[in-house]
Amino acid sequence: MRQFKERELDVLVATTVIEVGVDVPNATIMIVQEADRFGLAQLHQLRGRVGRGGEQSYCLLISRPVEELSETADRRLQALVDTSDGFELAQIDLDLRREGQLLGTQQSGWSDLRFTRLRTDHELIERARELAAELRDEDGPWQDEADRLAAGADVAA
């Protein structure tokens, strides 16, 4: 790694584990093999490792043939072609992977929320947050339930 940073070597071949520590502003080309197997956030992170200097840079995503890609993989790769805006990519990733559990370990798939969707109900969620903040310090029957939830106890207990 030191030799690459000090320009003694022109090429660095590495796994994604090492990319986090790579900060070489003049790096101009990155090739990601089997790009269709990576998540959108990780691909965006990898792409951000080139083009930090003043020179033109390229990030080449190599995948299986398009006819062999899943619809999701195709949409992920197309999103990277279409935009470099991290916020827009995060929204696309949420659409593709779904919300997962709000309180749990499942990070993708259908949400466990029954009456709202994180992606589309921004106003409702913001209003709920405001109301919760107003109620936070008020005493009332809801406080015992809130304390039980905060302590990790079963709601039905």
Side-chain angles (χ1 to χ4, degrees):
M1 177 67 103
R2 178 194 57 78
Q3 291 172 313
F4 181 67
K5 283 184 172 185
E6 294 175 5
R7 295 185 161 182
E8 293 174 23
L9 297 173
D10 292 329
V11 176
L12 175 66
V13 177
T15 67
T16 55
V17 174
I18 199 170
E19 73 82 14
V20 174
V22 176
D23 186 18
V24 181
N26 292 324
T28 56
I29 298 174
M30 175 176 285
I31 299 172
V32 180
Q33 297 229 4
E34 298 186 30
D36 55 296
R37 296 177 182 253
F38 291 91
L40 192 49
Q42 190 170 24
L43 288 169
H44 180 61
Q45 175 78 15
L46 286 167
R47 176 175 62 185
R49 295 295 167 185
V50 294
R52 294 177 174 203
E55 298 180 46
Q56 174 69 46
S57 65
Y58 303 91
C59 180
L60 307 172
L61 304 175
I62 310 297
S63 74
R64 290 176 281 174
V66 70
E67 52 278 349
E68 293 180 24
L69 294 178
S70 69
E71 181 181 340
T72 302
D74 186 43
R75 289 178 62 194
R76 257 195 325 264
L77 294 174
Q78 190 59 51
L80 279 162
V81 170
D82 293 342
T83 186
S84 61
D85 182 323
F87 291 107
E88 187 175 340
L89 289 171
Q91 292 296 324
I92 293 167
D93 192 41
L94 181 59
D95 287 343
L96 293 172
R97 293 175 356 107
R98 310 306 259 148
E99 299 156 343
Q101 293 176 327
L102 185 62
L103 300 173
T105 59
Q106 186 179 338
Q107 296 181 3
S108 64
W110 292 104
S111 171
D112 52 0
L113 300 176
R114 293 183 187 163
F115 302 107
T116 188
R117 294 286 170 244
L118 294 176
R119 173 79 165 99
T120 57
D121 296 331
H122 300 286
E123 292 177 20
L124 177 63
I125 293 168
E126 181 59 27
R127 181 68 181 130
R129 187 191 67 73
E130 291 168 1
L131 289 171
E134 290 174 18
L135 291 172
R136 180 178 47 227
D137 297 325
E138 288 187 25
D139 288 330
W142 70 272
Q143 191 68 47
D144 291 338
E145 191 66 24
D147 290 343
R148 191 171 23 256
L149 283 172
D154 187 356
V155 178

